[in-house]
Amino acid sequence: MGSLPNAPTLSFSSSLSATTLLPCRRFTAFPRRLSSFSVQAKIREIFMPALSSTMTEGKIVSWIKSEGDTLSKGDSVVVVESDKADMDVETFYDGILAAIVVADGETAPVGAPIGLLVDSPEEVAEAKAKAANSAPSPAPAAAPSAPATPPPPPPSPPAKSVSDAPTKTVATPQAKKLAKQHKVDIANVVGTGPFGRITPADVEAAAGISPSKSNVTPLASPAPAKAASATPSPAPIPGSSVVAFSTMQSAVAKNMVESLSVPTFRVGYPVTTDALDALYEKVKPKGVTMTAILAKAAAMALVQHPVVNASCKDGKNFVYNSNINVAVAVAINGGLITPVLQDADKLDLYLLSQKWKELVDKARAKQLQPHEYNSGTFTLSNLGMFGVDRFDAILPPGQGAIMAVGASKPTVLAAADGFFSVKNKMLVNVTADHRIIYGADLAAFLQTFSKIIENPESLTL
Amino acid sequence: MQSSISLSSSYAPTVSFPFSVATLAPSNLRFCALRRQAFTPSSIVHRHTRRRAHSAAVSAALSDNGTAPKSFDYDLLIIGAGVGGHGAALHAVEKGLKTAIVEGDVVGGTCVNRGCVPSKALLAVSGRMRELRNDHHLKSLGLQVSAAGYDRQAVADHANNLASKIRGNLTNSMKALGVDILTGFGTILGPQKAKVGSSNKVVTAKDIIIATGSVPFVPKGIEVDGKTVITSDHALKLETVPDWIAIVGSGYIGLEFSDVYTALGSEVTFVEALDQLMPGFDPEISKLAQRVLINPRNIDYHTGVFASKITPARDGKPVTIELIDAKTKEPKDTLEVDAALIATGRAPFTQGLGLENIDVVTQRGFVPVDERMRVIDSNGNLVPHLFCIGDANGKMMLAHAASAQGISVVEQVTGRDHVINHLSIPAACFTHPEISMVGLTEPQAREKGEKEGFEVSVAKTSFKANTKALAENEGEGLAKLIYRPDNGDILGVHIFGLHAADLIHEASNAIALGTRIQDIKFAVHAHPTLSEVLDELFKSAKQVKEHASGPVNEPVTV
């Protein structure tokens, strides 16, 4: 703004009748611009364009021009795949493509910079530095992957899953591509392929992604086991509509089918909940939920019966878990998920409730991290809020037992002395893996659990 | 240990790719009734042993050296019944020559048995497989296919059966025309004299054509066991589909095999001695090809390295490949893979031919010839009545080039001079999408232009502009025309895209007939077809001066 000495103090908020009010000095309505145009080196960003109204992110199919190429306005620079089609994206400016920020095969949201354009060769280095800084730093690889199953080998050399410590990382081409795509440091991935090589499945496991559908595999005579053509499905009833599973629903279906291979048995137990209900009334205002109370009670019972907290891996071994992580089944829109309360025995009721609230919020927003739903050692499922009195739950894979809890209902009880009384009773049903948990173990656990519920003061300790 | 055998000829691109389609339909050739009493051929036994050096037997049978016999058993004797020999034989019969063809292994040679035919069968399978697996592409067309799979043995059988069928067709076509098929390895004893097999009977012919072809070249240090370290010969039998295969050499053969293996579920690593992958192609085409054929597939590569040592898999260890820097020869890396395919070019098969008897010395195994396929001896003189065609002379190692050369030779011996213009012979690589070319690459054209003082222009069109390609959702492709703007001569055409191998012939015909751009612009192409890509290409070529419209050879019919 130019300086205006001796300007009459006018408030421009009022009328702009400058002609009458300015006897002497006329000043420009607009501040005089200091027009010292220094030619600024401009690093222009090439943005991911919105190629359709529904597009939110696009994938770079390939860069037509490479770093260092000179571009003229209108040149096609990159091919972008939108939700509808592949389109060539042109540049609006002349210049030199200094840096590619999002590479071939990578995705970026609409509006995000995908490349940097500069006017002159000197600015290329600057642009490259800028690109290096703004690019997301590769996330450190997750802890060495759990041994992922190698892809089914063709009838050839048997896969030697773990050899002596490999002196160099051998990774297949697809594994390398996936590592780059998911920003996994391939040196940290444990290879489980033949001769210890790193397979695409290993990289995906390291990145925490469930393995993508398998590559082309030779069929030989048996039809592909995974194809749905195995079971002949009955012809659909007219008027019915077929809706494909979402990823979560597919996962649930898969887990339930897997559970068929586990020999399970069920034990039921009636638990008197009068004392528990009283406690609940007391602690509810402090933010404690029934779920937290039940989870804590189960956890405390599990401390005394560690075999119920174990699982059977490979059908041959007990795996005793050192932590008691109680997973609780939650129905969310369109699916089912089991957020895990880790170390439920060690946290107090209030902390547990708080954690639970956080987990449920995250679950509803679909933001649960894998370790927040995969790490359960025991599961609790409650349908009491619907009025269900008793049900059988299906054992989730990788666990030893699941507890199904019904509603607490006033029930007439006959005592041995012939007197009737009415007490609140809740039917608890536990499904367990009989390879590791035997009838007596489970019954004993339930007895302990019932005692804890009926004497709930210990819960608030 | 180069990835390709460099040829001394200035014409051909420096790679060998005998894998072009060259099956000749025998149906329209006349039955030659001239059957004079001749040498009774021994029963045709398919021996699968390779040609061995018969030097001992040769020297024993050699009697008089240099004096030509007065009357000949045959007008034309062709040594080698591959595509080159077969093409020559059919043309010879048409011209009325009494012809015999000698074959020591299987009729059809490399192309039918170990080359073009089975490889195209496998590529057909891999092309279909790729289409069926390309959910994204199918979905864009509105299609849905559930998991597609393959039965390896059935695929191998398809290739095998096809080879047998075509081999049968070839044999029958020659027999039906009265060509004598002599079984055994042919050896030249002297001018116009040869012997077949181990017998001492001498066969005389007025002209002899050597058409013995080539075999896969295996650089030293590489141990081929036929199971885990293989050449194209073994690969085409498709005995296994390895999880991870290293392909040494990124020329046509390597590229086609990478297409087959990745479609069948393998992962591929290329080992290339030069600094660029696909060195024999026009650089712009190879860049695009890399973008489409290599980057999105499960393929990675090491360039600028030699595979100095390859050990097959044994004792529970994988195939190990030691890589050394191509220039400094320093060890660079070691690969551990399930299999290795050696695709480093093809070596001519000229041992045991008896060339020393006529004082001909091979150059790295190739028989030296002039532009009329006449053999040149060690003193630089032409050996009379002796020709060499096909892979054995190394001029252009393509099946159809061999038969074209054979036909050219037959023309010459029947009195009409004929020189092949190798620049008009197209070549194709049958990946998905295909690559094809005819004439010079852009760098070659520019070099020629600089030397001879003419300007070189380039026109390009994309398949994205073609209705048919877009209807198929296969808009990925490029056609490139290299031409002289001053007189409209077409110097080279390169196509990468759907059906490129079929589309190139319009351009190769134009070059063969000398048609210029200003004339071919007026030819009409059906709509909507892929050939409009070339129509666009020709129409987009701009010329500096328009010559008076007078087509060179044939009037352009509209």
Side-chain angles (χ1 to χ4, degrees):
Chain A
M1 198 107 155
S3 57
L4 306 159
N6 304 326
T9 51
L10 282 174
S11 59
F12 267 75
S13 53
S14 55
S15 62
L16 256 177
S17 45
T19 46
T20 52
L21 290 170
L22 289 178
C24 49
R25 180 173 293 277
R26 179 170 316 165
F27 59 91
T28 52
F30 301 111
R32 200 183 311 144
R33 228 174 262 230
L34 280 177
S35 51
S36 57
F37 276 129
S38 58
V39 177
Q40 299 270 331
K42 252 190 120 177
I43 299 178
R44 293 205 180 82
E45 291 178 327
I46 302 176
F47 294 105
M48 172 67 73
L51 298 174
S52 70
S53 53
T54 52
M55 182 174 155
T56 51
E57 63 174 21
K59 184 167 122 174
I60 307 272
V61 174
S62 56
W63 281 90
I64 298 175
K65 300 283 182 186
S66 322
E67 286 189 359
D69 283 354
T70 309
L71 308 174
S72 320
K73 183 161 136 175
D75 276 356
S76 290
V77 178
V78 62
V79 181
V80 169
E81 178 190 291
S82 69
D83 53 345
K84 297 202 168 48
D86 286 6
M87 306 260 279
D88 281 3
V89 175
E90 295 170 356
T91 171
F92 293 115
Y93 299 101
D94 294 342
I96 301 173
L97 182 61
I100 290 177
V101 176
V102 178
D104 286 10
E106 291 179 6
T107 319
V110 167
I114 53 175
L116 298 176
L117 191 68
V118 296
D119 289 329
S120 60
E122 299 81 55
E123 295 145 10
V124 172
E126 197 187 319
K128 275 194 191 286
K130 183 169 166 194
N133 285 342
S134 63
S137 50
S145 56
T149 47
S156 268
K160 236 184 7 178
S161 44
V162 178
S163 53
D164 41 300
T167 47
K168 55 189 288 295
T169 41
V170 176
T172 71
Q174 195 190 3
K176 286 191 203 160
K177 280 200 167 79
L178 287 172
K180 202 165 137 201
Q181 191 185 337
H182 298 295
K183 303 200 167 42
V184 169
D185 184 0
I186 202 145
N188 289 343
V189 178
V190 172
T192 64
F195 311 107
R197 68 172 74 125
I198 298 172
T199 62
D202 295 335
V203 173
E204 285 180 326
I209 314 162
S210 51
S212 47
K213 71 171 184 229
S214 65
N215 262 334
V216 187
T217 41
L219 286 182
S221 8
K226 296 240 169 38
S229 55
T231 46
S233 44
I237 302 163
S240 58
S241 66
V242 176
V243 178
F245 277 160
S246 68
T247 324
M248 179 186 290
Q249 289 164 338
S250 304
V252 169
K254 182 167 164 279
N255 286 345
M256 295 297 105
V257 171
E258 259 181 57
S259 76
L260 291 174
S261 62
V262 177
T264 53
F265 74 113
R266 291 152 176 76
V267 175
Y269 207 98
V271 178
T272 311
T273 56
D274 294 284
L276 185 71
D277 293 335
L279 173 70
Y280 183 51
E281 292 307 310
K282 264 204 315 198
V283 292
K284 197 156 91 167
K286 298 192 190 137
V288 176
T289 57
M290 184 51 96
T291 308
I293 297 177
L294 290 172
K296 179 121 179 85
M300 286 173 59
L302 286 171
V303 170
Q304 300 179 39
H305 300 271
V307 74
V308 184
N309 192 43
S311 63
C312 183
K313 291 244 156 81
D314 312 321
K316 294 198 184 101
N317 306 294
F318 288 89
V319 177
Y320 289 100
N321 295 305
S322 45
N323 304 43
I324 298 181
N325 298 334
V326 178
V328 183
V330 171
I332 56 177
N333 198 6
L336 164 67
I337 198 152
T338 52
V340 175
L341 286 165
Q342 312 234 352
D343 290 320
D345 55 322
K346 299 204 172 72
L347 298 176
D348 75 31
L349 212 49
Y350 305 100
L351 254 173
L352 217 54
S353 298
Q354 197 179 26
K355 282 219 86 188
W356 179 242
K357 187 170 175 316
E358 282 169 20
L359 284 171
V360 170
D361 288 338
K362 267 197 187 173
R364 293 225 169 90
K366 301 211 179 167
Q367 280 174 352
L368 276 183
Q369 300 297 307
H371 70 92
E372 287 170 328
Y373 57 79
N374 274 349
S375 52
T377 57
F378 180 86
T379 307
L380 178 65
S381 184
N382 184 357
L383 287 180
M385 67 288 273
F386 293 101
V388 167
D389 62 344
R390 175 203 1 214
F391 70 107
D392 286 333
I394 296 183
L395 187 63
Q399 289 187 15
I402 176 169
M403 177 186 279
V405 168
S408 182
K409 294 194 164 138
T411 319
V412 177
L413 286 178
D417 52 1
F419 283 107
F420 291 124
S421 58
V422 175
K423 293 231 190 315
N424 284 344
K425 230 168 41 153
M426 174 174 85
L427 293 172
V428 168
N429 207 319
V430 176
T431 310
D433 182 343
H434 204 296
R435 293 174 297 181
I436 50 169
I437 301 168
Y438 302 161
D441 302 323
L442 196 50
F445 163 76
L446 279 166
Q447 201 174 41
T448 312
F449 177 75
S450 158
K451 285 214 178 67
I452 297 174
I453 294 283
E454 289 166 5
N455 299 299
E457 287 69 36
S458 51
L459 286 174
T460 51
L461 291 170
Chain B
M1 283 182 267
Q2 296 278 331
S3 67
S4 59
I5 304 226
S6 57
L7 307 172
S8 51
S9 141
S10 61
Y11 298 115
T14 58
V15 278
S16 58
F17 36 101
F19 288 176
S20 308
V21 178
T23 50
L24 300 169
S27 50
N28 51 358
L29 290 170
R30 298 188 304 273
F31 186 91
C32 176
L34 300 170
R35 210 186 225 290
R36 267 182 250 130
Q37 202 42 22
F39 210 69
T40 35
S42 46
S43 59
I44 295 171
V45 171
H46 284 289
R47 280 195 281 156
H48 295 274
T49 49
R50 291 231 175 270
R51 172 188 282 273
R52 303 270 182 267
H54 283 292
S55 46
V58 169
S59 47
L62 202 52
S63 47
D64 52 314
N65 198 1
T67 45
K70 293 282 159 38
S71 82
F72 301 101
D73 296 323
Y74 294 100
D75 296 322
L76 182 64
L77 178 72
I78 305 169
I79 306 183
V83 173
H86 177 259
L90 294 187
H91 196 62
V93 168
E94 201 183 316
K95 295 283 175 193
L97 298 178
K98 179 162 176 16
T99 317
I101 193 162
V102 180
E103 178 53 52
D105 187 12
V106 274
V107 169
T110 297
C111 169
V112 174
N113 300 293
R114 302 174 291 273
C116 329
V117 170
S119 72
K120 265 58 249 166
L122 293 183
L123 281 162
V125 170
S126 74
R128 292 274 164 88
M129 196 63 191
R130 209 176 274 290
E131 270 178 39
L132 293 172
R133 285 237 130 219
N134 193 346
D135 289 335
H136 172 80
H137 187 219
L138 291 174
K139 219 158 70 164
S140 72
L141 294 170
L143 295 174
Q144 206 174 313
V145 176
S146 60
Y150 66 92
D151 176 353
R152 185 205 56 79
Q153 190 56 51
V155 172
D157 290 340
H158 169 57
N160 228 1
N161 295 341
L162 184 65
S164 308
K165 188 153 96 161
I166 305 227
R167 182 167 60 231
N169 285 351
L170 227 66
T171 317
N172 292 339
S173 70
M174 289 195 292
K175 279 204 259 186
L177 292 166
V179 174
D180 284 341
I181 304 179
L182 310 175
T183 316
F185 291 122
T187 320
I188 300 176
L189 302 173
Q192 299 170 307
K193 269 207 297 239
K195 76 180 195 74
V196 178
S198 51
S199 74
N200 286 333
K201 283 258 184 70
V202 174
V203 181
T204 57
K206 182 151 170 284
D207 293 284
I208 300 182
I209 301 181
I210 299 171
T212 48
S214 62
V215 290
F217 169 64
V218 178
K220 72 170 173 24
I222 299 180
E223 192 189 323
V224 172
D225 72 343
K227 296 220 161 5
T228 55
V229 180
I230 54 181
T231 62
S232 58
D233 290 356
H234 310 109
L236 289 168
K237 300 207 209 107
L238 205 68
E239 277 166 5
T240 57
V241 177
D243 280 343
W244 187 9
I245 183 164
I247 298 184
V248 183
S250 67
Y252 304 78
I253 300 181
L255 208 55
E256 286 185 357
F257 274 111
S258 80
D259 195 289
V260 173
Y261 281 119
T262 48
L264 296 180
S266 309
E267 301 197 43
V268 167
T269 298
F270 273 117
V271 173
E272 171 56 51
L274 301 180
D275 291 327
Q276 300 278 87
L277 285 181
M278 300 182 273
F281 295 80
D282 178 272
E284 205 169 343
I285 294 284
S286 84
K287 191 158 142 201
L288 181 59
Q290 199 170 321
R291 207 156 46 86
V292 178
L293 297 176
I294 297 191
N295 295 350
R297 299 183 182 173
N298 291 337
I299 304 178
D300 68 354
Y301 48 88
H302 301 264
T303 48
V305 289
F306 287 141
S308 61
K309 186 163 184 296
I310 301 188
T311 330
R314 52 168 81 103
D315 309 322
K317 289 211 302 207
V319 172
T320 37
I321 303 177
E322 289 172 22
L323 299 176
I324 59 172
D325 187 283
K327 296 190 190 56
T328 66
K329 307 287 186 284
E330 293 196 354
K332 243 181 139 187
D333 207 348
T334 309
L335 300 178
E336 289 176 9
V337 293
D338 296 317
L341 170 69
I342 311 301
T344 46
R346 295 183 66 87
F349 189 57
T350 48
Q351 299 90 325
L353 259 179
L355 294 172
E356 59 280 3
N357 299 330
I358 35 167
D359 198 22
V360 170
V361 173
T362 59
Q363 294 168 358
R364 281 177 329 203
F366 293 108
V367 175
V369 295
D370 70 356
E371 74 274 4
R372 289 176 172 74
M373 308 303 126
R374 296 179 294 202
V375 176
I376 303 172
D377 69 14
S378 57
N379 301 323
N381 302 322
L382 294 175
V383 178
H385 302 290
L386 184 65
F387 302 83
C388 178
I389 60 172
D391 284 7
N393 72 23
K395 270 197 176 295
M396 198 172 204
M397 294 173 83
L398 291 176
H400 47 276
S403 53
Q405 289 169 352
I407 291 174
S408 164
V409 167
V410 170
E411 287 289 295
Q412 290 172 51
V413 304
T414 49
R416 280 159 295 271
D417 189 24
H418 189 277
V419 177
I420 291 190
N421 175 11
H422 284 94
L423 281 176
S424 71
I425 300 185
C429 180
F430 294 83
T431 47
H432 298 92
E434 294 173 349
I435 312 176
S436 64
M437 69 212 69
V438 66
L440 304 169
T441 64
E442 193 179 334
Q444 287 170 342
R446 291 204 186 274
E447 202 186 306
K448 190 158 183 225
E450 290 225 1
K451 246 193 339 200
E452 298 178 18
F454 57 78
E455 247 197 75
V456 168
S457 289
V458 172
K460 286 183 270 203
T461 51
S462 166
F463 274 59
K464 278 201 194 1
N466 182 275
T467 311
K468 185 90 189 310
L470 290 177
E472 307 257 358
N473 242 332
E474 299 261 7
E476 188 78 71
L478 174 73
K480 183 171 168 179
L481 168 70
I482 307 164
Y483 64 104
R484 278 179 68 157
D486 55 357
N487 62 9
D489 274 351
I490 301 175
L491 300 171
V493 174
H494 302 260
I495 310 180
F496 173 64
L498 187 62
H499 289 305
D502 300 317
L503 296 174
I504 193 72
H505 295 90
E506 193 177 349
S508 62
N509 275 356
I511 297 182
L513 298 170
T515 317
R516 298 166 309 162
I517 306 240
Q518 54 267 39
D519 302 320
I520 205 170
K521 271 193 215 233
F522 291 99
V524 179
H525 297 74
H527 176 80
T529 57
L530 291 170
S531 68
E532 288 176 288
V533 172
L534 285 182
D535 188 30
E536 281 285 318
L537 192 63
F538 294 135
K539 289 197 164 81
S540 71
K542 294 189 201 351
Q543 276 185 276
V544 172
K545 316 200 270 275
E546 280 280 342
H547 282 260
S549 65
V552 179
N553 291 328
E554 300 288 316
V556 176
T557 51
V558 176

